[in-house]
Amino acid sequence: MITKKIRLIFALITLVALSFLVRNLYISYSFNNNPISKEDKKEIIREEQRVLKNMQKNLGFEYKVPIIITDKIPGKIYGFTSLDDDGNIKIYLNKKIMRESMDYILSNVIAHEYAHALLFKSGDYKIDKDGHSLLWQNTCVKLGGKKCQKYVDSHDVIMGKLPF
Ligand SMILES: [Zn+2]
């Protein structure tokens, strides 16, 4: 009688654990296989609009850069800005860390990368290999970025071929 009860309890525990596992698997599966949610997309567009508005206000022009959300970025970086051999400028955001870092991406990363994009556009990126020159900092501030100090361990400007 007791063993039957224990067996039942074990079966229940296993069932509960399994259902959690399945649920977690499902969440990470659906996140990795679907585009980001409408809500997240809206938030990114809203922040981009804010940056573009600041650009118009503080720099006198508006220059829109394609923002590409991808899960192919290796490692934990939030995103980067690229300039290819044909002179195309694009901003890439890391989808893999979006779930945990969406707030940070919205409040810091988009203005940060847009500042890189503008320096690529004007050709002023050449004065500083790493990309975070004083001019970049000023541009970032003018775009309404909140964290525009030099990023010590971030290599988020890519010239030429992408690593993926
Ligand atoms: Zn940067």
Side-chain angles (χ1 to χ4, degrees):
M1 197 56 197
I2 290 172
T3 40
K4 220 174 180 185
K5 227 178 185 174
I6 289 173
R7 241 187 247 164
L8 190 69
I9 289 167
F10 269 109
L12 274 174
I13 290 171
T14 312
L15 202 68
V16 169
L18 260 176
S19 65
F20 269 108
L21 185 73
V22 169
R23 189 175 161 275
N24 285 341
L25 274 175
Y26 175 75
I27 288 169
S28 66
Y29 174 84
S30 63
F31 192 85
N32 289 330
N33 288 279
N34 287 316
I36 61 164
S37 74
K38 259 189 193 163
E39 220 24 73
D40 285 350
K41 211 171 181 179
K42 250 193 223 164
E43 297 272 4
I44 289 172
I45 290 168
R46 197 175 301 153
E47 169 61 11
E48 185 186 27
Q49 288 305 319
R50 191 184 73 86
V51 168
L52 289 171
K53 240 184 180 173
N54 285 327
M55 197 188 295
Q56 183 67 58
K57 194 176 115 201
N58 298 321
L59 296 168
F61 63 90
E62 197 181 290
Y63 179 69
K64 205 171 177 305
V65 180
I67 295 181
I68 293 146
I69 293 151
T70 175
D71 55 9
K72 292 199 175 103
I73 298 175
K76 279 257 173 189
I77 68 166
Y78 297 104
F80 62 85
T81 307
S82 76
L83 172 68
D84 70 19
D85 295 334
D86 298 324
N88 298 310
I89 300 163
K90 286 177 188 144
I91 291 172
Y92 290 82
L93 296 178
N94 191 349
K95 185 179 162 190
K96 280 188 286 189
I97 57 159
M98 250 176 204
R99 204 174 354 171
E100 63 209 51
S101 308
M102 196 57 182
D103 288 342
Y104 187 84
I105 286 173
L106 288 173
S107 59
N108 298 297
V109 178
I110 293 171
H112 180 116
E113 299 306 331
Y114 248 99
H116 284 308
L118 289 190
L119 263 65
F120 274 153
K121 178 183 174 280
S122 64
D124 291 323
Y125 60 92
K126 285 164 191 153
I127 51 174
D128 180 9
K129 257 196 209 159
D130 156 75
H132 303 96
S133 60
L134 197 63
L135 180 64
W136 170 83
Q137 281 181 38
N138 290 335
T139 307
C140 179
V141 170
K142 283 178 182 160
L143 296 180
K146 289 189 186 80
K147 277 194 179 170
C148 297
Q149 58 270 59
K150 192 177 156 81
Y151 280 36
V152 182
D153 56 351
S154 167
H155 302 281
D156 66 333
V157 280
I158 293 174
M159 282 165 250
K161 223 171 139 39
L162 294 180
F164 56 81

